[in-house]
């Protein structure tokens, strides 16, 4: 499929969410190696997906290196959210743990608290991916179409300032 997409002339492929399965890790590795061997175009950008989670980002770097490629030669998409609904009810407990707040506070905290915590959270992870050396860092806001526009813009600007290179609007 990667070779077909390359032949079609696509600029970017996002072939794997490597934390999800061994088969995604293997596919990602094979696609990177195919680019190195010239089986797909050298100029095609290859990106992997990671949650805003250091374990995911570390795994992406590790698999990239196992393929014999420096992370600076690939991209990573860091998946998070800017939607109030997702901030509180999907990512909420992660953000409470991140800030060291007891989980019993989950429903008591206002959305504004989750927004602020989420900014710190995504900035830390974009910076971390930059420190590891990924060549491009896409930042994806899951459920972005339902996000408050002012907060989404603030979130995107913070990601960009932290070293992110491209917004993925989901």
């Amino acid at each position: 499929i990667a070779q077909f997409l390359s032949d079609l002339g696509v600029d970017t492929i996002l072939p794997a969410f490597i934390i999800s399965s061994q088969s995604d890790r293997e596919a990602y590795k094979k696609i990177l190696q195919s680019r190195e061997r010239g089986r797909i175009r050298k100029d095609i950008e290859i990106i992997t997906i990671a949650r805003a989670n250091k374990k995911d980002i570390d795994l992406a770097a590790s698999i990239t290196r196992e393929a014999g490629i420096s992370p600076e030669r690939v991209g990573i998409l860091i998946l998070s959210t800017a939607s109030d609904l997702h901030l509180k009810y999907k990512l909420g407990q992660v953000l409470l743990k991140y800030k060291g707040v007891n989980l019993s506070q989950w429903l008591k905290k206002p959305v504004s608290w989750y927004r602020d915590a989420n900014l710190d959270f995504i900035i830390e992870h974009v910076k971390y991916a930059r420190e590891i050396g990924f060549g491009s860092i896409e930042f994806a806001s899951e459920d972005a179409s339902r996000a408050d526009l002012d907060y989404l813009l603030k979130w995107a600007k913070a990601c960009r300032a932290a070293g992110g290179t491209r917004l993925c609007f989901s």
Side-chain angles (χ1 to χ4, degrees):
I1 294 172
Q3 188 172 5
F4 175 74
L5 292 172
S6 176
D7 292 346
L8 278 176
V10 298
D11 297 317
T12 305
I13 58 172
L14 200 151
F17 186 17
I18 59 176
I19 197 73
S20 67
S21 71
Q22 183 63 36
S23 62
D24 270 24
R25 292 187 281 281
E26 289 300 319
Y28 175 67
K29 205 182 316 183
K30 286 179 181 180
I31 290 167
L32 289 175
Q33 292 167 339
S34 291
R35 185 178 67 177
E36 289 306 297
R37 293 183 188 121
R39 295 181 71 198
I40 62 175
R41 293 189 340 266
K42 297 271 186 195
D43 66 338
I44 198 165
E45 182 180 15
I46 300 172
I47 301 174
T48 188
I49 303 173
R51 297 169 297 181
N53 177 309
K54 288 182 179 178
K55 178 181 174 185
D56 285 24
I57 296 167
D58 287 340
L59 181 61
S62 175
I63 298 296
T64 301
R65 288 185 188 105
E66 282 179 25
I69 311 294
S70 169
E72 68 188 14
R73 300 193 42 235
V74 298
I76 189 166
L77 180 147
I78 299 177
L79 183 61
S80 186
T81 190
S83 155
D84 289 342
L85 182 67
H86 281 219
L87 282 175
K88 189 161 186 172
Y89 297 103
K90 185 174 182 180
L91 193 59
Q93 293 186 16
V94 170
L95 293 172
L96 289 166
K97 288 178 188 174
Y98 173 71
K99 288 294 193 176
V101 176
N102 190 295
L103 295 181
S104 67
Q105 297 299 304
W106 179 35
L107 298 176
K108 297 173 186 169
K109 293 284 185 190
V111 169
S112 60
W113 184 91
Y114 290 99
R115 286 181 178 183
D116 291 342
N118 189 50
L119 282 176
D120 292 342
F121 188 69
I122 190 66
I123 287 168
E124 179 179 321
H125 289 90
V126 168
K127 284 182 176 179
Y128 186 70
R130 177 62 56 212
E131 289 167 11
I132 286 176
F134 281 97
S136 66
I137 301 168
E138 195 163 318
F139 41 97
S141 173
E142 185 181 40
D143 199 37
S145 62
R146 288 193 284 186
D148 175 83
L149 182 57
D150 290 334
Y151 178 71
L152 178 62
L153 292 172
K154 183 177 182 178
W155 183 89
K157 288 176 183 176
C159 289
R160 184 81 169 125
T165 55
R166 179 172 48 215
L167 168 66
C168 176
F169 184 87
S170 306

